Amino acid sequence: MRDLNSITQSTVEPWLTDIERLDLSGELPSYIPQLAQVDPQHMGIYIQSLDCPGYGWGESSVPLMSVIKPFVLLYALEQLGIDKIKRIVGHMPSDLSYNSVEQLQADGGFPRNPMINSGAIALCSHLPGSTGMEKCQKFCDRLNKDGQTHLFLDRQLLASVESLPNVINQELTKLLAQSGYLGSSEAVALDTYQRVCCLSSSLADLVKLGLGLIDPQGQTQSEHQLWVTQLIQTCGLYEYSTEFSRLVGLPTKSGVSGVLLSLVPQQGAIAIYSPLLDSTGNSVVGMALLKRIAAYLQD
Ligand SMILES: NC(=O)CC[C@H](N)C(=O)O
């Protein structure tokens, strides 16, 4: 097994050249105007081993979008306990897209897992606080305090999300309310979720959050941290999670901004940003690069 910190920019550049030659197709998310206008060529990567300072290059600050969901789950577990969480959201991989209404309907209104929109919306509705602003702020403050990070609400991105009402998420929220899994009004649930998804950070801070999950201050993982890591592994990449787990094995969570957080057990964490997405909503270049990195580490 090679060391994560043996991966340098000169290691990665040839891999990226090879990946570019594959001419992989990808698209920007059209339903969030600000994300639909980014430069598809932008790229960033940050790597940190448990026992070394981190390093990275390229784009450094990104919207987190769904890559924040594991940390919503961890916070909710700490606030509500695992028994209550298991009554609010399931822990099985999803067979359909991350915002599938059909999946929620097929499951009788019970959200399949916390890594897809329905599960995250349900969890967000149960977070401490009475308004979306308050729930998101308490969550963000706690993440920054525990992780010594500087996540912030990207208000321009939130305005962009709100400028094009997401009918699918509205439908998911309505179904969750009807099935009794919300802990707040529909409006507060959706507002909280949208705000949480508009938290942004440096790739370095995202990696720090990942390290805190797999190696909390050098301690063994708590029951909650283990549960979150397992759900990243089994559900983090939506309907591609099982295949990726078989091919690559690294617990990885994606976001529709084109960001990926990958955990290298016992070694460290990697954050990658490349905005073009495949049909499952995962970063095309980021996924291809993770496959190269995993193969290199296994050598
Ligand atoms: N996969 C994602 O990152 C989706 C997040 C986005 N806020 C949405 O609800 O569609």
Side-chain angles (χ1 to χ4, degrees):
M1 183 85 170
R2 285 198 174 105
D3 274 351
L4 181 58
N5 51 27
S6 68
I7 297 175
T8 63
Q9 188 165 359
S10 56
T11 322
V12 170
E13 293 298 349
W15 294 340
L16 287 173
T17 305
D18 286 350
I19 291 166
E20 277 157 25
R21 285 202 192 107
L22 296 174
D23 200 19
L24 299 170
S25 66
E27 294 192 2
L28 297 173
S30 58
Y31 70 97
I32 302 179
Q34 183 170 314
L35 298 184
Q37 295 157 17
V38 302
D39 180 341
Q41 298 310 313
H42 276 185
M43 165 95 205
I45 183 169
Y46 196 87
I47 297 171
Q48 185 163 353
S49 300
L50 294 177
D51 49 3
C52 296
Y55 56 95
W57 57 92
E59 201 66 34
S60 62
S61 183
V62 294
L64 299 178
M65 288 280 136
S66 284
V67 87
I68 198 72
K69 287 175 175 157
F71 304 99
V72 172
L73 173 60
L74 183 63
Y75 178 59
L77 282 165
E78 288 164 0
Q79 296 297 319
L80 303 168
I82 198 159
D83 293 339
K84 171 86 186 261
I85 293 300
K86 285 184 174 178
R87 292 196 295 272
I88 297 168
V89 61
H91 53 274
M92 298 306 289
S94 51
D95 309 317
L96 301 171
S97 65
Y98 62 78
N99 60 356
S100 168
V101 173
E102 188 190 341
Q103 179 85 74
L104 186 59
Q105 288 169 331
D107 293 338
F110 181 60
R112 175 70 67 104
N113 70 65
M115 302 298 158
I116 58 178
N117 289 12
S118 59
I121 292 169
L123 285 180
C124 281
S125 75
H126 287 272
L127 297 184
S130 51
T131 64
M133 184 186 295
E134 195 182 352
K135 288 174 183 283
C136 180
Q137 192 62 58
K138 283 177 179 285
F139 167 60
C140 187
D141 291 346
R142 176 64 188 276
L143 270 186
N144 284 332
K145 177 171 174 283
D146 290 358
Q148 294 171 354
T149 49
H150 303 86
L151 275 66
F152 63 95
L153 176 62
D154 183 333
R155 295 187 181 284
Q156 192 180 340
L157 179 59
L158 179 60
S160 179
V161 166
E162 292 170 341
S163 72
L164 207 52
N166 188 316
V167 176
I168 294 177
N169 285 343
Q170 289 171 356
E171 180 62 24
L172 291 172
T173 308
K174 190 172 142 209
L175 267 175
L176 290 166
Q178 289 168 347
S179 51
Y181 292 110
L182 291 191
S184 72
S185 69
E186 287 179 53
V188 168
L190 194 52
D191 183 40
T192 307
Y193 170 75
Q194 289 182 167
R195 288 172 179 271
V196 160
C197 283
C198 288
L199 292 176
S200 291
S201 87
S202 63
L203 292 179
D205 273 356
L206 177 56
V207 161
K208 268 178 94 171
L209 292 179
L211 293 178
L213 200 52
I214 61 170
D215 183 65
Q217 289 83 35
Q219 308 298 317
T220 51
Q221 286 182 295
S222 68
E223 178 197 9
H224 293 167
Q225 286 160 331
L226 269 173
W227 180 251
V228 173
T229 309
Q230 285 162 9
L231 278 166
I232 293 173
Q233 174 98 45
T234 57
C235 308
L237 296 172
Y238 317 122
E239 63 268 38
Y240 189 58
S241 303
T242 306
E243 181 68 0
F244 186 84
S245 192
R246 185 181 68 81
L247 287 172
V248 180
L250 301 178
T252 299
K253 183 69 195 87
S254 61
V256 80
S257 53
V259 64
L260 289 169
L261 173 64
S262 201
L263 306 177
V264 185
Q266 282 87 43
Q267 279 227 53
I270 306 164
I272 298 174
Y273 170 71
S274 176
L276 290 175
L277 305 173
D278 64 20
S279 59
T280 58
N282 297 314
S283 168
V284 175
V285 170
M287 302 289 281
L289 187 52
L290 279 176
K291 287 174 185 168
R292 295 299 180 96
I293 289 172
Y296 169 85
L297 292 174
Q298 284 301 331
D299 257 1

